[in-house]
Amino acid sequence: MGRTNDSVLREFVLTGLSAHPELQTVFFVLVLCMYLMILLGNGVLISVIICYSHLHTPMYFLLCNLSFLDICYTSSSVPLILDSFLTVRKRVSFSGCMVQMFLSFAMGATECVLLGMMALDRYVAICYPLRYPVIMRKGAYMPMAAGSWVAGIVDSVVQTSLALQLPFCADNVINHFVCDFLAILKLACADISINVISMAGSNLIVLVIPLLVISISYIFIVATILRIPSTEGKRKAFSTCSAHLTVVIVFFVTIFFMYAKPKSKSSAGTDNQDIIEALISLLYGVMTPMLNPLIYSLRNKDVKIAVRNMLGRKNFSDGI
């Protein structure tokens, strides 16, 4: 147990879907197409928000951060996932695995906090519309976005630093596509109580608290919308936050489903469970970032018009 990581373990082996080679090609094409759609969709959304001045508002500034965050999150893991589909047993260096784990954890934690900040923005916009320009001024929404990034990065530094202190023995096989934090902790040949306690504190700060903020914000938002006398007024008020609410539901439902799924004890059940876990992992790591720009484009009138204008202008210039 006194051995160090350097003397015992220099690399990890990712199994991925090695037990199901017939699915590797299908998953490779599927994930690659999703990744390209993530880059395209979020890239277009960021470009639209930057190019059109009427979108230079707190809500779209936070949305721009969300899109950039989704690109960073998927780019920290998807290339490794794709490579694992092309290799029977993908080998990753210890340092490379830690870096990938740090980036993925930081981006995931940041997104949780950022969604909470976006809920506060919608709360102020619906409940205090006349004071919204004063409350959500540049000196308020920029620190909100920066604070989300800082919280996620600091949380990841703490968790990754604690993981680096653990000794890892002979078993270096990770039953995952990427260097998953929980999968790596299972390989440690030492007591991980401190890591578990730290993770519990992390979940409270970057998962539970933002979820409470979102829930409380929408309770007040719904109460305010119900007091609006006209049906048209209610529809317009709800449309301003429906896209964010949809993204929140997709994001948090996926997280809770991923960690609350039952564990199978039979060997046959274990094989099926590997496929299910693969699908859930893809849903969380790839599907959600792919859906975010689509949700905001379809459910937000301003973004929809701006995207049409940008695409129309591009087609016109191409014709010239």
Side-chain angles (χ1 to χ4, degrees):
M1 293 294 180
R3 293 173 294 180
T4 64
N5 288 331
D6 292 334
S7 62
V8 177
L9 190 62
R10 294 185 181 274
E11 64 180 18
F12 288 104
V13 177
L14 303 175
T15 59
L17 281 175
S18 57
H20 308 279
E22 70 281 0
L23 296 177
Q24 288 185 331
T25 303
V26 175
F27 271 62
F28 176 84
V29 174
L30 180 64
V31 174
L32 178 60
C33 291
M34 288 181 172
Y35 182 51
L36 294 176
M37 291 180 67
I38 288 169
L39 296 179
L40 177 62
N42 287 285
V44 168
L45 196 55
I46 292 173
S47 300
V48 165
I49 293 173
I50 292 175
C51 292
Y52 288 87
S53 59
H54 70 281
L55 297 180
H56 294 176
T57 63
M59 182 180 77
Y60 293 112
F61 176 78
L62 295 174
L63 176 57
C64 191
N65 275 265
L66 180 65
S67 293
F68 180 69
L69 185 62
D70 283 337
I71 291 176
C72 293
Y73 177 75
T74 51
S75 297
S76 70
S77 58
V78 170
L80 188 60
I81 294 175
L82 294 174
D83 196 15
S84 70
F85 291 145
L86 300 177
T87 310
V88 177
R89 290 168 72 85
K90 172 64 180 175
R91 297 182 180 273
V92 184
S93 67
F94 182 87
S95 58
C97 199
M98 291 296 113
V99 170
Q100 185 266 307
M101 184 179 71
F102 164 78
L103 292 174
S104 296
F105 199 98
M107 298 302 105
T110 301
E111 183 155 356
C112 290
V113 180
L114 184 61
L115 288 174
M117 297 297 184
M118 295 175 75
L120 287 176
D121 171 73
R122 293 299 83 205
Y123 162 74
V124 176
I126 299 298
C127 299
Y128 303 97
L130 298 180
R131 297 176 58 191
Y132 179 76
V134 178
I135 298 175
M136 293 301 296
R137 58 190 184 279
K138 192 173 183 179
Y141 66 79
M142 291 192 72
M144 288 170 66
S148 301
W149 285 92
V150 170
I153 292 173
V154 170
D155 185 34
S156 186
V157 167
V158 172
Q159 303 307 323
T160 307
S161 299
L162 290 175
L164 284 170
Q165 305 304 315
L166 294 171
F168 295 93
C169 300
D171 187 8
N172 66 338
V173 178
I174 302 176
N175 295 315
H176 211 280
F177 301 122
V178 294
C179 297
D180 181 68
F181 189 81
L182 296 179
I184 289 178
L185 288 184
K186 294 178 182 178
L187 301 181
C189 51
D191 183 23
I192 60 172
S193 300
I194 295 178
N195 301 79
V196 173
I197 294 173
S198 178
M199 277 293 295
S202 170
N203 289 337
L204 176 64
I205 295 172
V206 303
L207 189 61
V208 177
I209 291 179
L211 188 57
L212 285 175
V213 170
I214 292 170
S215 301
I216 294 173
S217 296
Y218 273 99
I219 288 174
F220 284 103
I221 287 173
V222 170
T224 301
I225 291 176
L226 291 177
R227 289 199 296 267
I228 297 176
S230 67
T231 303
E232 181 65 17
K234 291 179 180 178
R235 188 191 64 79
K236 287 184 177 180
F238 182 74
S239 66
T240 63
C241 56
S242 60
H244 173 259
L245 184 59
T246 304
V247 169
V248 166
I249 291 173
V250 172
F251 182 79
F252 283 100
V253 166
T254 304
I255 290 180
F256 286 123
F257 181 62
M258 182 168 59
Y259 287 106
K261 59 185 182 298
K263 300 293 183 180
S264 176
K265 296 182 179 180
S266 65
S267 58
T270 302
D271 293 337
N272 292 330
Q273 183 180 321
D274 290 339
I275 300 177
I276 294 174
E277 289 181 351
L279 292 173
I280 295 174
S281 180
L282 285 176
L283 178 63
Y284 173 65
V286 183
M287 186 69 75
T288 304
M290 184 185 72
L291 290 177
N292 285 353
L294 187 63
I295 292 171
Y296 272 97
S297 298
L298 293 177
R299 302 187 68 88
N300 188 290
K301 182 180 178 181
D302 293 333
V303 173
K304 189 186 301 184
I305 293 174
V307 170
R308 287 177 179 173
N309 289 339
M310 174 174 281
L311 294 178
R313 182 183 300 175
K314 183 178 183 302
N315 291 335
F316 177 75
S317 61
D318 289 345
I320 295 176

